[in-house]
Amino acid sequence: NGLCDPALGYDYVGVFLLDPATGERVMTARVGWSDLPDEFRIPAGQGLSARPLEDGQLHYTPSVRADPRYVTGLSTGSEVDVPLKIDGVPVGVLVVESREADAFGPDDFEILTAAANLAAIAAGRIRLVNTQQALIATMAALSAELQLEKLLDAVLERASALIGASGAEIAILDEAGTGLVVAATTNPSG
């Protein structure tokens, strides 16, 4: 709740992470936006907060109502959008709004960039833990499963979940070594 301090002038603060499967930005943390649904999503390419994902730069909008890209309709003030980067790649956006027009300046940009960097570190650590947990579960499946078909299904299921794929297949060379045969699939009709 520290960033939504009246002394700082930040009325709304939200962290949006990129959903790699859909390209949508999903609000994962927020302060000040109490009337939004629990899983608020902004479609890919829409809204002011799309810009930092496109170019990796901080963007400032002194008057959100004057910009046709503004989508939430919650404010008549200004907005700062700061990319959250992991290994230099934007994976989300810190969105900060004030009810006042032209409320932000260089000191705010510095504070918000530092906050975005901390949020990105936290997001990176969460991803690392999720990846480690998926690898541990896969290794457990590998050591417990002796039937090849079930083992391939388990590996494919975990790999698909890990990368956010909607479908996947594992193919192996046929006995003649001339073609591929689907050995496991997440698509039941495939």
Side-chain angles (χ1 to χ4, degrees):
N1 215 17
L3 283 178
C4 277
D5 183 339
L8 293 175
Y10 308 155
D11 296 306
Y12 305 102
V13 176
V15 173
F16 289 82
L17 294 180
L18 185 63
D19 180 336
T22 65
E24 296 174 315
R25 291 175 311 289
V26 181
M27 185 178 273
T28 57
R30 66 179 177 218
V31 177
W33 277 300
S34 58
D35 55 345
L36 291 177
D38 286 341
E39 189 175 282
F40 181 68
R41 292 177 168 261
I42 299 177
Q46 293 184 15
L48 297 173
S49 61
R51 299 173 300 171
L53 292 174
E54 295 164 358
D55 65 11
Q57 302 297 312
L58 178 147
H59 286 270
Y60 176 45
T61 307
S63 176
V64 295
R65 291 287 184 202
D67 195 314
R69 294 171 293 191
Y70 185 67
V71 295
T72 58
L74 296 174
S75 179
T76 57
S78 48
E79 178 172 321
V80 177
D81 300 295
V82 187
L84 305 177
K85 297 180 186 179
I86 297 176
D87 295 327
V89 177
V91 296
V93 182
L94 174 65
V95 177
V96 182
E97 292 187 11
S98 172
R99 290 184 184 101
E100 301 296 320
D102 204 17
F104 300 96
D107 289 343
D108 298 296
F109 304 149
E110 189 175 329
I111 290 168
L112 296 175
T113 298
N117 289 337
L118 291 173
I121 290 169
R125 286 188 177 163
I126 290 168
R127 281 186 174 184
L128 180 60
V129 167
N130 290 342
T131 300
Q132 288 173 334
Q133 289 173 342
L135 289 173
I136 289 168
T138 300
M139 294 308 293
L142 287 171
S143 65
E145 188 55 62
L146 299 177
Q147 291 182 339
L148 180 59
E149 184 178 314
K150 289 182 180 180
L151 175 63
L152 291 175
D153 286 340
V155 169
L156 186 60
E157 181 181 318
R158 285 185 177 80
S160 296
L162 186 61
I163 63 171
S166 59
E169 293 181 341
I170 294 177
I172 57 175
L173 279 175
D174 62 16
E175 289 183 25
T178 58
L180 293 175
V181 177
V182 174
T185 181
T186 59
N187 180 1
S189 65

